Amino acid sequence: MTTPLRATRRPTLIIGGGNAGVSIAARLRRRKVRDVVIVEPRADHVYAPLQSHIAGGVADRRRVVRSQRSVTPRGVTWIQDRLVAVFPDESVAELASGRRIVYERLVIAAGIEQEWAAVPGLADARDLSTTVSNYTLPLAERASTTLRGVESGTVVFTQAPEPASCAGVAQKPMYLACDRWRREGRLPGIRVVFITPEPAPFSVAPVSAELEAKIAEYGIEALYTTEVVEVRAGAGELDVLQGGERRTIRYDVLHAAPPQRPATWIASSGLGDEDGFVDVDPSTLQHRRWPNVWALGDAAPVTPIRSGGAIRSQAKVLVEALAPRGTTPRYDGYTETPFTVTRHTAVFAEFDRSGRLRPTIPFWRTLYRERRFTYVMDRWVLPWVYWNLILTGRA
């Protein structure tokens, strides 16, 4: 490929305008780095963690959505377009509009894509009122109304197989719904089924024990190491595979978490690992073959459990590589997964890539246990920090 003469030249190009992309851009601007460009096709910026609270009926979209323009840091150029290819040998990115950008440094913060069509019948089910989800804002708003109105019958909650963006958050609307139904005296008449491909509610044993206790308390029927293989929404049925045996479950409401995968252009551009994610060193976030390429967030295979809470630690490492101040930190895989288990309490998991607990307050080793304090953090404090500190490069 020959670089066109009219290609735009931009020293720092960031692909993706979500949490990772905007926070990196803001940090670079605070270090006086000039000519930073974000490529992001969406006009709205969504704080995804609160979608689970919307689905569970304890929040609304006013605290979740802002315009992409309003969160783009001052001095950063936002190009509303979609990336289709990268030519790393020439340091060129190509957009859907046909525009090409020559970069000096490329930061891939493209997230992960939802694959509703990966399960037969799931994409069609999404169009019906009996299917809800906390993985898109419209479906989360539908979930809020639908789950609130359940009086009886079977409600199925599914968890996506890895890799996924914070797969465990699919449990949050389930606990919130059960808490509401119990308070209103409806829970005994509702069969709640939880389907997960994992062997336990969570991969970190102390956290898993907290969630197992909550599952038992609500009387949830948990099907572990089980995957949804087909949905027949018109009949209100889905098929699951468990231990090599296929069985059918009838449902009245399905809360679905779609399978997910990295953007296809990562692999086709030669930037991917064997699973299609950006092939970076998990400690430095730098590409193994092209030293002027970095990645963070869901597009990077740097922590076993992807989550928005991991990005802050990753951003600190990456900004030191792009605008060094004499330090060379390394990313240890820190991530977090909050589970809102009632409308007043949460289980807050913080850990590194080895599964060791890493509480934000180091001396509070049992911070992961169900507490009202961590609910306040998840529901109120972290959203404020996100909009006012993280996206402005201050935290």
Side-chain angles (χ1 to χ4, degrees):
M1 176 224 162
T2 302
T3 303
L5 293 176
R6 294 184 179 179
T8 305
R9 294 184 178 274
R10 298 289 192 176
T12 304
L13 179 62
I14 300 172
I15 306 302
N19 179 349
V22 172
S23 60
I24 280 293
R27 286 175 179 272
L28 291 175
R29 287 297 298 142
R30 291 182 67 81
R31 296 205 177 183
K32 310 304 182 184
V33 175
R34 298 180 180 276
D35 209 355
V36 177
V37 175
I38 292 175
V39 173
E40 169 57 56
R42 294 169 295 187
D44 289 334
H45 184 100
V46 178
Y47 179 60
L50 275 186
Q51 289 181 173
S52 297
H53 293 264
I54 290 175
V58 294
D60 59 58
R61 69 178 291 129
R62 290 174 297 174
R63 298 184 179 273
V64 174
V65 183
R66 296 187 183 180
S67 71
Q68 187 66 34
R69 187 172 304 280
S70 71
V71 301
T72 300
R74 183 175 299 178
V76 172
T77 300
W78 167 40
I79 298 176
Q80 190 174 3
D81 206 338
R82 180 174 55 86
L83 187 85
V84 294
V86 174
F87 303 93
D89 286 332
E90 291 87 359
S91 295
V92 172
E94 183 174 337
L95 309 184
S97 62
R99 181 176 182 178
R100 287 175 172 171
I101 301 175
V102 181
Y103 59 83
E104 293 178 11
R105 305 177 301 184
L106 178 67
V107 177
I108 300 174
I112 194 169
E113 298 184 354
Q114 298 173 14
E115 287 292 291
W116 291 84
V119 175
L122 185 58
D124 293 334
R126 181 178 51 180
D127 297 329
L128 301 181
S129 61
T130 52
T131 301
V132 299
S133 179
N134 62 338
Y135 269 93
T136 75
L137 185 53
L139 290 180
E141 291 180 308
R142 183 194 293 175
S144 179
T145 301
T146 300
L147 295 176
R148 186 182 295 113
V150 172
E151 298 287 345
S152 61
T154 298
V155 182
V156 174
F157 293 83
T158 73
Q159 181 168 312
E162 294 291 349
S165 181
C166 206
V169 300
Q171 298 178 40
K172 294 171 75 171
M174 175 177 71
Y175 300 130
L176 286 168
C178 286
D179 181 48
R180 174 188 290 274
W181 295 331
R182 181 174 62 181
R183 284 186 291 105
E184 297 178 355
R186 288 183 275 165
L187 186 57
I190 300 172
R191 179 192 180 200
V192 182
V193 181
F194 172 48
I195 300 171
T196 175
E198 304 301 326
F202 200 63
S203 58
V204 179
V207 177
S208 187
E210 290 288 303
L211 298 177
E212 286 172 348
K214 216 65 193 176
I215 287 170
E217 180 183 320
Y218 287 132
I220 296 169
E221 180 182 337
L223 304 181
Y224 299 112
T225 60
T226 304
E227 292 194 45
V228 178
V229 293
E230 185 178 353
V231 178
R232 295 180 295 278
E237 295 178 343
L238 58 81
D239 286 356
V240 299
L241 192 64
Q242 184 181 41
E245 180 181 350
R246 184 165 175 147
R247 56 180 284 206
T248 298
I249 298 175
R250 293 189 58 83
Y251 67 85
D252 297 283
V253 176
L254 170 63
H255 185 285
Q260 294 154 54
R261 64 164 177 79
T264 56
W265 60 260
I266 295 174
S268 62
S269 297
L271 294 167
D273 62 11
E274 61 184 9
D275 297 316
F277 292 95
V278 186
D279 189 15
V280 295
D281 182 297
S283 297
T284 66
L285 311 181
Q286 188 172 33
H287 201 279
R288 298 181 190 275
R289 293 180 57 196
W290 287 281
N292 66 336
V293 177
W294 288 263
L296 75 166
D298 290 346
V302 295
T303 184
I305 305 294
R306 292 169 168 83
S307 79
I311 291 172
R312 179 170 170 268
S313 296
Q314 296 169 15
K316 289 181 177 180
V317 172
L318 201 152
V319 78
E320 289 298 335
L322 298 176
R325 285 183 173 174
T327 60
T328 54
R330 299 174 70 83
Y331 177 56
D332 66 359
Y334 170 88
T335 188
E336 64 183 40
T337 305
F339 295 89
T340 306
V341 293
T342 75
R343 64 182 301 166
H344 298 298
T345 60
V347 172
F348 201 78
E350 296 178 283
F351 51 98
D352 62 20
R353 67 169 57 95
S354 299
R356 292 172 297 193
L357 292 171
R358 282 280 311 279
T360 301
I361 306 172
F363 59 82
W364 201 347
R365 299 297 298 174
T366 60
L367 186 60
Y368 64 87
R369 290 183 177 162
E370 181 184 351
R371 299 181 188 279
R372 184 180 180 87
F373 170 75
T374 47
Y375 174 85
V376 172
M377 290 289 295
D378 184 43
R379 175 65 183 85
W380 300 105
V381 177
L382 292 181
W384 186 92
V385 169
Y386 180 78
W387 294 118
N388 295 282
L389 301 180
I390 290 176
L391 294 188
T392 59
R394 293 179 171 87

